[in-house]
Amino acid sequence: MTEDNKERLNEIKQDIETLREKLTSKSKKWVIKNLSIIWAKITKQGTSFMKEFLNEAKKTAIKEGLKLMIEIGSNMIN
């Protein structure tokens, strides 16, 4: 990883954090536009980085989905 790549990755991380923070307060159009920008930055890093990102995103989505299912299940029981 070069210094330039490291800077770009930090920029992508910052963009993702901004998107997370403002996800519920901004319009769908704003969210989609920023998501598209983030995806474009990720694809510029190359296919190996894109695959790694998608694998990590999948793991996170599964983990968050399981947390949600457990939370909903426990609320239904109580």
Side-chain angles (χ1 to χ4, degrees), residues 5 8 12 37-47 49-50:
N5 284 353
R8 288 182 183 162
I12 291 170
I37 291 169
I38 292 168
W39 183 248
K41 289 178 181 181
I42 289 170
T43 57
K44 277 186 173 182
Q45 296 301 311
T47 55
F49 181 77
M50 193 169 56

Side-chain angles (χ1 to χ4, degrees), residues 1 8 17 19 21 25 27 33-34 36 38 40-41 50 53-54 72 75 77-78:
M1 180 181 308
R8 288 182 183 162
E17 286 301 315
L19 182 64
E21 290 170 4
S25 63
S27 68
K33 178 182 175 188
N34 282 277
S36 297
I38 292 168
K41 289 178 181 181
M50 193 169 56
F53 177 81
L54 290 174
I72 290 172
N75 287 342
I77 292 171
N78 294 332

Side-chain angles (χ1 to χ4, degrees), residues 24-25 30 39-40 44-45 48 51-52 54 57 62 67 70:
T24 57
S25 63
W30 184 90
W39 183 248
K44 277 186 173 182
Q45 296 301 311
S48 62
K51 287 178 184 178
E52 184 180 336
L54 290 174
I62 291 170
K67 282 183 186 177
I70 290 169

